[in-house]
Amino acid sequence: MANERLRDALMHAGHSTSTAADQVGVDAKTVERWLTQDRVPYPRHRGALAALVGRSESYLWPNAVPAQRQKIAATSEIVETFPHRSDVPSRLWDDLLQRASARIDVLVHAGQFLHERPGFITTMKAKAEAGVAVRVAFGAPESEATERRSAEEKLGPGVLGARIRYGLVSYRPLLNTKGVEFRFHETTLYNSIFRFDDEMIVNMHVFGVPGPHAPAMHVRRLSAGDVFETYEGSFGDVWEQSHSAEW
């Protein structure tokens, strides 16, 4: 049986069997067998391949990673938890933003606290101009999902939508910046996601509790884990269902 997950991951990462073989340190025919015969690589090669394509070992070879190791890896991916998002240290937000060199993804309703940070917008602009891909998904101000969340947080009718529209003004300097894309989503937002390369802050939403008062966790990708990948996939699913933001 062919390993379609590995084939797809290599394709999206821009690698052929030859280039993957060179990176991992094996013969191209060996990579071909991994693809076409579903042969499972040795652990050192699994780790190298997973890092090469940016996917977890447990995703590429579901039966190869022992359950106990997956459990340990999942625990290790969670760097730190915070009882409230407001407890995430300012230095951590700054460090994650400054270190980002390939991708920044933001999924929020309004995310006002971000652009209220000194230098956040100018840093995002500089990152994009340096080649970092930036994607930001806001809640659609007039959507049913946004209005429902406004009621659930006891903000009152139209309040969250107004906060989103107010916050968008701060992002205007980024509107014509190459590499920055904005979209509106109309999904039920179970988590706000702030992804910086292979690290992210996840803000779990709780019914009746405003985002700043809900728990958050700092997650770092590990090749054998799938916590980071779960939230990465969730962002991708929301992004695909979103539409271009115009304001």
Side-chain angles (χ1 to χ4, degrees):
M1 181 183 296
N3 189 331
E4 296 298 339
R5 289 186 175 186
L6 178 57
R7 187 189 303 279
D8 182 73
L10 285 171
M11 181 184 69
H12 280 87
H15 284 287
S16 64
T17 54
S18 296
T19 60
D22 290 341
Q23 292 291 324
V24 177
V26 298
D27 187 271
K29 291 182 179 179
T30 299
V31 177
E32 189 64 31
R33 285 194 290 271
W34 293 339
L35 291 170
T36 61
Q37 300 177 29
D38 200 19
R39 297 279 186 88
V40 178
Y42 290 122
R44 66 179 184 278
H45 294 146
R46 290 203 305 266
L49 273 171
L52 183 66
V53 300
R55 307 293 286 187
S56 69
E57 289 183 49
S58 57
Y59 170 80
L60 297 172
W61 304 279
N63 298 321
V65 182
Q68 183 61 25
R69 186 187 171 202
Q70 290 188 39
K71 180 179 179 181
I72 293 172
T75 303
S76 299
E77 279 188 286
I78 300 173
V79 180
E80 189 173 2
T81 58
F82 305 92
H84 314 107
R85 191 199 68 211
S86 57
D87 294 326
V88 178
S90 294
R91 58 170 177 74
L92 179 56
W93 289 110
D94 293 340
D95 288 347
L96 292 174
L97 179 60
Q98 290 293 340
R99 292 202 306 267
S101 61
R103 174 165 298 286
I104 296 173
D105 290 332
V106 176
L107 172 62
V108 290
H109 274 124
Q112 281 183 290
F113 76 99
L114 286 175
H115 63 76
E116 290 173 349
R117 296 189 56 75
F120 174 77
I121 297 297
T122 56
T123 302
M124 288 273 278
K125 185 176 180 65
K127 288 289 180 178
E129 291 173 342
V132 176
V134 178
R135 298 183 296 181
V136 185
F138 298 104
E142 311 297 336
S143 72
E144 179 183 344
T146 295
E147 187 59 28
R148 185 186 310 116
R149 184 60 187 173
S150 188
E152 291 171 353
E153 290 191 7
K154 301 178 178 62
L155 298 176
V159 174
L160 182 55
R163 286 185 178 179
I164 294 170
R165 287 189 292 270
Y166 170 77
L168 292 175
V169 176
S170 298
Y171 287 88
R172 287 192 181 277
L174 301 177
L175 280 177
N176 297 315
T177 302
K178 184 178 179 181
V180 180
E181 188 174 0
F182 295 100
R183 290 189 183 182
F184 284 147
H185 69 85
E186 299 184 23
T187 59
T188 299
L189 196 62
Y190 297 102
N191 302 277
S192 289
I193 298 173
F194 310 89
R195 186 252 181 101
F196 308 88
D197 291 346
D198 287 340
E199 297 185 63
M200 63 173 61
I201 301 294
V202 178
N203 182 195
M204 291 79 80
H205 291 301
V206 180
F207 185 90
V209 179
H213 301 159
M217 61 181 177
H218 176 197
V219 180
R220 181 179 294 125
R221 187 202 298 273
L222 293 178
S223 64
D226 58 10
V227 175
F228 183 99
E229 196 166 90
T230 296
Y231 288 106
E232 179 184 38
S234 179
F235 180 94
D237 289 341
V238 174
W239 188 257
E240 289 302 314
Q241 296 180 38
S242 303
H243 55 87
S244 295
E246 297 179 359
W247 71 87

